[in-house]
Structures are given as C-alpha cells and as structure tokens.
C-alpha cells in the first residue's frame, strides 16, 4: 500500500500510525528493517525530525527497536486484547499509557502546582502577545483545508456572539485555540488552550466590565477577519503581523481606559531574534 502524504497536525502520530499499519499488514516483518529516516521523510513528505519522533513513539510501545547507526528493526508483536468493538488506540495513545506526562518527582517540591490559579490579565495578554503571532504564522503554512474551515467557523461564532451581546466570547477564544491547533505544534496548542480554554477569571471579567470600550467587539471582529484572510491566503508574514496588531490593540484598549493615565502597560522587551516558520 503506498504511503500517504502527511498534511495535518501531529505529524509524528500520523506517521507512526501508518508505519504500524504497514507492519501489521506484513510489509515489514519481525526482524526486518524499516527504510532509513531520510527515505521515509521523502516518502511521507515531512522532515526527518517528524519521522524520528514517530519511530521513537513506535519504540516506546514495543513495535520497533531504534538502533543508532544500525537502522530500525521491527520487533515481534505482543497481541493486546481489545474489548468487543473497541477501536485500536493510536500510537500516541498507546505511548501515553506507557509513559504518562507528569511532573518529575525529583522536581516535585520545586515546581508550583497552582496551575488553576488565575493569571493576572495583563500578564496573560503579555504571554499571548509573544506566542500567538507565531502560531498564526505557522498555521498559515501548516493548516489543512479542514482546519481553515474550522477557524472560519469559529470566526462566524465570534460574529454571532457579538450580535447576541455575549460577555464570555467563546467564539473569540475558540478562534485563537483553533489557530494554535492548526499551527502543527501541539506545544503551542497546549499553551493557548490552557490560557483560553477556561472561563475568564474574575479579574479578567472585572477588567472587561470596567474598561472595555463600546467599539471593542466590532474592532476585534474586524481584526480577526484580517487574521483569517491572511491564513486563507497562506501568507505567514501577514498572519503574524495581523495577530500581533490584534494583541497590541487589545492591550491598548484596556490600558487607555485606566483612569490614572500614569498607569500604562509596558510589555517586556522581546529578544532580538529572526522568526522563521518551520
């Protein structure tokens, strides 16, 4: 069966699942070698790093053995009984069951576990302003057509929320989350989902109530449209620029409404690096 080109997010998961299926069909038998990383990357149309992540995932769940310098060897399969009508879990799900993502016990006492505490509003916006322009740039390059449609659907929900006078703006937040999802980087998705996937905290709600200008929903809606159009045009530079302008606009609106004009938001200086889409 020919290898299918990879277009969607979580590339390594899809690569791992395809390779596992090929092994299950007997295209690569126990004791045999998989093709070299370079060849697999060319066949899948992805980078070697994505292939390497897939191979490591397959090793974690006991399907292959990765031997640096000697290739990747297929191991004999240990059949795992499944309940009736239960679909076989993906390689990612199987790997997660074997090695959970958890706090290292050696650092347990050194790390704050207060992940549910509300982040002060301007600190939240500061973090978003640093991260989200890059998620937009990556999404412009990596998003599938289906993901672009889901971003457009979130925008439509944003527009509907504004027409209905929503105070929680789920469409607005979903718009940003789906862009992070389409970036192709699950780390960005994790960050943005954690920051925006919950209800607004009391501090953010109060900030909105006191200082949101009347034109902010419509202004934000227009800025979202510019981001969406850049994504649909597959223009990474324009998407990055539009997202950064949007975040700056939100900060400016909240800051300019503070009665004491001496209190102004000053973002931390950004590192002097050249951003590249990868």
């Amino acid at each position: 069966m020919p290898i299918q080109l990879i277009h969607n997010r979580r590339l390594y998961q899809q690569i791992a699942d395809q390779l596992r299926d090929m092994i299950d069909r007997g295209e690569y038998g126990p004791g045999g070698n998989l093709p070299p990383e370079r060849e697999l990357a060319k066949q899948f149309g992805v980078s070697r790093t994505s292939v390497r992540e897939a191979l490591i995932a397959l090793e974690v769940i006991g399907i292959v053995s990765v031997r640096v310098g000697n290739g990747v060897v297929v191991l004999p399969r240990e059949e795992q009984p499944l309940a009736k009508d239960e679909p076989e879990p993906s390689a990612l799900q199987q790997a997660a069951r074997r090695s959970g993502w958890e706090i290292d016990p050696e650092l347990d006492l050194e790390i704050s576990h207060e992940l549910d505490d509300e982040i002060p509003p301007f600190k939240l916006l500061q973090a978003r302003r640093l991260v989200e322009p890059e998620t937009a740039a990556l999404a412009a390059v990596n998003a599938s057509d289906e993901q672009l449609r889901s971003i457009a659907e979130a925008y439509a929900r944003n527009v509907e929320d504004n027409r209905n006078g929503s105070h929680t703006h789920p469409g607005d937040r979903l718009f940003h989350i789906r862009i992070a999802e389409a970036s192709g980087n699950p780390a960005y998705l994790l960050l943005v989902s954690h920051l925006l996937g919950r209800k607004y905290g009391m501090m953010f709600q109060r900030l909105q109530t006191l200082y949101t200008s009347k034109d902010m929903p419509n202004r934000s809606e227009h800025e979202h449209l510019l981001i969406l159009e850049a994504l649909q045009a597959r223009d990474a530079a324009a998407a990055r620029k539009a997202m950064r302008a949007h975040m700056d606009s939100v900060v400016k609106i909240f800051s300019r409404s503070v009665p004491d004009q001496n209190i102004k938001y000053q973002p931390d200086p950004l590192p002097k690096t050249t951003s590249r889409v990868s």
Side-chain angles (χ1 to χ4, degrees), residues 123-136:
K123 295 299 183 184
L124 172 65
L125 292 170
Q126 182 182 22
R128 290 182 57 194
R129 197 266 183 193
L130 182 65
V131 171
E132 292 199 58
E134 290 311 306
T135 70

Side-chain angles (χ1 to χ4, degrees), residues 45-73:
V46 299
S47 68
R48 289 183 65 177
T49 56
S50 295
V51 170
R52 183 166 297 180
E53 289 174 336
L55 295 175
I56 293 299
L58 291 178
E59 182 178 58
V60 168
I61 61 178
I63 292 180
V64 302
S65 174
V66 178
R67 302 172 182 174
V68 178
N70 292 314
V72 180
V73 178

Side-chain angles (χ1 to χ4, degrees), residues 4 13 53 90 104 108 115 140 153 167 222 243 250 257 274:
Q4 300 175 24
Q13 178 183 345
E53 289 174 336
S90 69
D104 188 331
D108 187 60
L115 297 178
E153 290 169 359
H167 296 290
H222 173 68
M243 181 65 82
V250 174
S257 301
T274 302

